[in-house]
Amino acid sequence: MANLSTSEILLGLVLTLPLISAIVSFLIPARYGWVSSLTAPVLLLVCTILSFILFFTSEALHVTASWFSIGTTEINFSLLLDAASRLMILVVSTVSFLVHLYSTGYMGYDTKITRYFGMLGLFTFSMMGIVLASQLILTFVFWELMGFSSYMLIGHWMEKPAAAKAAQKAFLFNRIGDAFMLIGILITWIHPAGSPDTFWQTTGVLCIFAGVVGKSAQLPLSFWLPDAMEGPTPVSALLHAATMVAAGVFLLIRINPLLTDTALTVIAITGISTALFGAVSALNQFDIKKILAYSTLSQLGLMITAIGIGAKDAALLHLFTHAFFKAGLFLAAGSVIHALSHQLNDQKKSDVQDIRNLGGLRKKLPVTFIVFCIAGASLAGLPMLSGFLSKDSILTAAWNLSIPSAQFIFTGLILIVSFVTVLYTFRLIRFVFFGNESQTTVHESPWVMRIPMIVCAVASGWFIVSVNPIHVSGWFANSFTGAETSLIASGLSAVTVLVAFIAGVLFYWRQPSPQSNSILQNSFGIDSFYQRTIGLAIVRLASAAEATDKRVLDGFLHFIAYTQVSVAHGIAWFDRYIVDGIVDTGARLVKSAGSLTRSFQGGRIQLYIFWAVAGLIIFLFFVLI
């Protein structure tokens, strides 16, 4: 410890405090769940404070320790604290603390609260490791640990078949991407950056990008994320805002120097396709959490697009702003669900997450309503909010592309995504908080849930990013030196938002209930297509593998086993009756000879006379013959 600097000690604490929180929660007996509800938020609060100290005081820091060796190659446990990771540990720790605090109210009556906080801490620790790891192998270790903890959190209520299925789906979809990612890491290890073989470099980074596609739910591996809403709402907030799905975007920012032109093109096309797909799908959902889930797909698509068009700082900026306004939206959605769950389930036996069952909540849940509106406005990209600056920085990067066709296509598609984003945000707020008041006894969530929501709403303002509400400059903007906005992009964005708002009023304000297109509601039928084709093929392949295992492999193994048993029985028989028989027969002969010889000296005069006579007869017999 004497050789470690203060910054290094703080860095170690920031990384390990979430893990300590997890271990403490796992060790606490279930009947003392309140202890876990107390210790976990406190430890995350300390982690957040230390993250702020590191952000404002620490310079670039690289900590390395020997880990293990492969042949002559030594692998180090290496952590890197630079501008990007310094910002990300601040985001991860802050949002995670808010989610921990919020969970003490939302999950207060859960019987598995200790396991919940344990997995939440492990989840946060995994993301911290991904952010700080300075080599791909260490990143992959934390990457897989995050996959496991997310599986456990999504399936926290495993007794619900939908939750169990959603957890399995998330796990399997991520394993597909992770398999390619591991291949990509091995390729980049064998063919390092800067080598003349650009084919292998492109192949390697595209394989790593496949892992990003799985973790950040990009096409064609997007369909696990909406189903993951079966997990607790605070988990959804953390998963969508600052961890897991954001990990893929951050990894691309980290490996940006490795990305070739071909890889960047693939990344940009994948990102913008996912952004469009997520936005249109969100416009046709009824589940309040699934609307936000598809919104996350869309926003992540914009971040991936920004990286593909060479604007990694703009992607990091949008990742930063998105963490707070999306966390605010999910926490506010959880407040709605928490407030209505008992009443609607008891009185109407209906789904409290279906916006068709909601309405008129702005007066009964005023804090939740205000938070939802502010965070939703930031998502929609309204001026004076952080989302406006980050979205405009991506739009500016597209507008500044040197290739006219790419400039036109990406600028136009980003504007379309922005237009649809305003529509589904307006639709959501309209049918949840306005319209007919169908509930009678609804109360605002407790303060332990309201405070995190309010913090996220405040953090959705422009000042969290910049001192200038229309231009990225100063304050946290020092971490996004390459992000910029232009008057042209801001003007196009403002016009798009205005037109979309008018369209939202015309389309949705007079509707008695939200309408939807069945094809779009089911994600263009792609998920169903996957289940009928790939899913069915996998099931049949698994069945064939099972049959092969039982009939061929098990049969062969049984044959080997039966043969071994038969041979063993044969050997045992030979040993018992042949080997042991010969030995026993020899022993009997020796014994008989010994008994015969012993009888010569029995001490009886009659025997002596008998043997003397017998010997004389035998002697005479041989002599005379």
Side-chain angles (χ1 to χ4, degrees):
M1 294 291 290
N3 296 326
L4 296 178
S5 66
T6 302
S7 294
E8 290 172 338
I9 294 173
L10 292 179
L11 182 63
L13 289 173
V14 167
L15 175 62
T16 56
L17 278 173
L19 179 60
I20 295 172
S21 170
I23 294 172
V24 170
S25 295
F26 285 136
L27 294 177
I28 294 174
R31 63 181 179 275
Y32 298 119
W34 63 270
V35 178
S36 182
S37 299
L38 177 64
T39 57
V42 169
L43 288 171
L44 265 296
L45 176 60
V46 175
C47 180
T48 303
I49 293 172
L50 297 181
S51 297
F52 270 93
I53 294 174
L54 278 176
F55 182 84
F56 289 108
T57 63
S58 177
E59 300 296 330
L61 188 64
H62 195 189
V63 180
T64 302
S66 179
W67 193 8
F68 64 93
S69 298
I70 301 177
T72 58
T73 303
E74 184 176 354
I75 307 299
N76 294 322
F77 187 96
S78 184
L79 304 179
L80 176 64
L81 185 69
D82 58 3
S85 57
R86 192 163 55 234
L87 178 76
M88 283 303 298
I89 61 171
L90 182 62
V91 173
V92 173
S93 60
T94 302
V95 176
S96 183
F97 162 66
L98 295 175
V99 169
H100 275 72
L101 181 62
Y102 181 95
S103 296
T104 60
Y106 191 90
M107 302 289 290
Y109 296 100
D110 193 272
T111 57
K112 298 175 288 187
I113 190 69
T114 54
R115 190 185 75 180
Y116 170 82
F117 276 113
M119 282 299 169
L120 212 59
L122 186 63
F123 193 71
T124 305
F125 167 71
S126 304
M127 183 62 188
M128 285 291 192
I130 291 173
V131 167
L132 293 172
S134 68
Q135 74 261 56
L136 287 173
I137 293 178
L138 184 58
T139 299
F140 188 75
V141 172
F142 286 110
W143 190 273
E144 291 302 294
L145 189 59
M146 173 174 284
F148 167 73
S149 52
S150 65
Y151 164 76
M152 295 298 294
L153 285 169
I154 294 169
H156 178 72
W157 293 312
M158 282 290 187
E159 63 275 9
K160 294 170 53 180
K165 183 178 179 181
Q168 292 171 2
K169 189 174 185 178
F171 190 82
L172 292 174
F173 268 70
N174 277 272
R175 295 294 72 72
I176 295 172
D178 292 354
F180 282 99
M181 181 179 179
L182 182 58
I183 295 172
I185 292 174
L186 295 176
I187 291 174
T188 55
W189 193 353
I190 297 172
H191 302 275
S195 61
D197 195 343
T198 57
F199 169 79
W200 284 112
Q201 184 175 338
T202 300
T203 303
V205 295
L206 285 179
C207 285
I208 294 174
F209 178 61
V212 173
V213 167
K215 195 71 74 182
S216 294
Q218 300 294 286
L219 289 174
L221 300 178
S222 303
F223 303 99
W224 66 268
L225 191 58
D227 290 350
M229 297 302 97
E230 294 293 337
T233 302
V235 171
S236 302
L238 187 59
L239 186 149
H240 284 250
T243 58
M244 190 155 180
V245 294
V249 178
F250 183 80
L251 178 59
L252 286 182
I253 294 172
R254 265 281 185 257
I255 67 170
N256 191 261
L258 301 177
L259 302 180
T260 62
D261 291 341
T262 302
L264 288 171
T265 302
V266 173
I267 291 170
I269 293 173
T270 302
I272 197 63
S273 301
T274 306
L276 284 169
F277 167 77
V280 175
S281 296
L283 191 60
N284 289 273
Q285 300 298 314
F286 295 120
D287 186 297
I288 186 172
K289 289 174 65 177
K290 283 194 174 182
I291 293 172
L292 297 178
Y294 279 109
S295 169
T296 300
L297 290 183
S298 182
Q299 299 306 303
L300 289 170
L302 288 179
M303 300 175 206
I304 298 292
T305 303
I307 294 172
I309 61 177
K312 65 180 181 65
D313 282 347
L316 182 61
L317 173 59
H318 197 49
L319 175 60
F320 176 70
T321 61
H322 178 266
F324 293 102
F325 65 68
K326 185 54 63 71
L329 285 169
F330 267 108
L331 296 183
S335 178
V336 171
I337 296 168
H338 183 268
L340 299 176
S341 57
H342 297 294
Q343 182 196 1
L344 285 185
N345 281 337
D346 292 340
Q347 294 182 6
K348 297 184 178 180
K349 304 297 182 184
S350 56
D351 186 357
V352 298
Q353 296 180 200
D354 194 324
I355 62 176
R356 292 171 293 189
N357 298 326
L358 308 178
L361 295 177
R362 67 187 186 282
K363 295 179 180 178
K364 293 180 170 54
L365 305 175
V367 175
T368 301
F369 169 64
I370 293 172
V371 169
F372 212 103
C373 286
I374 294 175
S378 186
L379 168 65
L382 268 65
M384 310 300 290
L385 297 168
S386 62
F388 172 81
L389 290 171
S390 58
K391 278 191 171 183
D392 276 14
S393 65
I394 297 176
L395 186 61
T396 299
W399 180 259
N400 290 336
L401 288 173
S402 57
I403 303 175
S405 58
Q407 176 192 32
F408 174 77
I409 292 172
F410 281 100
T411 300
L413 292 178
I414 291 172
L415 288 174
I416 292 174
V417 171
S418 299
F419 181 89
V420 180
T421 301
V422 176
L423 281 184
Y424 68 68
T425 304
F426 183 91
R427 174 179 178 264
L428 181 57
I429 294 174
R430 155 69 180 85
F431 289 110
V432 173
F433 295 100
F434 291 89
N436 298 325
E437 298 184 11
S438 56
Q439 293 78 35
T440 56
T441 56
V442 179
H443 302 288
E444 187 66 85
S445 300
W447 277 106
V448 74
M449 294 173 61
R450 275 183 269 180
I451 291 174
M453 291 192 300
I454 293 171
V455 172
C456 289
V458 172
S460 299
W462 88 87
F463 46 81
I464 196 67
V465 174
S466 170
V467 296
N468 190 330
I470 61 173
H471 183 69
V472 182
S473 60
W475 193 226
F476 281 111
N478 294 330
S479 301
F480 320 105
T481 54
E484 59 180 6
T485 56
S486 66
L487 290 177
I488 295 177
S490 297
L492 290 173
S493 179
V495 171
T496 300
V497 170
L498 178 61
V499 173
F501 182 80
I502 296 172
V505 173
L506 294 176
F507 291 161
Y508 299 118
W509 192 254
R510 294 184 180 275
Q511 283 188 16
S513 63
Q515 304 297 316
S516 177
N517 184 294
S518 59
I519 296 178
L520 300 181
Q521 185 185 354
N522 294 310
S523 306
F524 296 87
I526 299 177
D527 194 19
S528 299
F529 174 76
Y530 276 6
Q531 295 180 21
R532 292 194 305 268
T533 55
I534 299 176
L536 184 60
I538 291 175
V539 170
R540 289 181 175 176
L541 181 62
S543 299
E546 183 183 17
T548 302
D549 179 64
K550 288 182 177 180
R551 298 176 184 178
V552 179
L553 295 180
D554 285 356
F556 177 73
L557 293 176
H558 289 163
F559 171 77
I560 296 295
Y562 293 148
T563 302
Q564 289 177 333
V565 171
S566 299
V567 171
H569 282 300
I571 293 173
W573 180 89
F574 184 84
D575 179 70
R576 184 180 301 112
Y577 295 105
I578 304 300
V579 177
D580 288 353
I582 293 173
V583 173
D584 291 344
T585 301
R588 291 190 190 100
L589 291 175
V590 172
K591 181 179 180 182
S592 299
S595 299
L596 179 63
T597 305
R598 189 170 58 250
S599 67
F600 293 167
Q601 298 179 0
R604 298 170 63 183
I605 189 64
Q606 295 89 340
L607 287 176
Y608 292 160
I609 294 171
F610 170 78
W611 285 118
V613 172
L616 180 60
I617 293 171
I618 294 172
F619 175 75
L620 292 174
F621 176 80
F622 280 104
V623 170
L624 294 175
I625 294 177

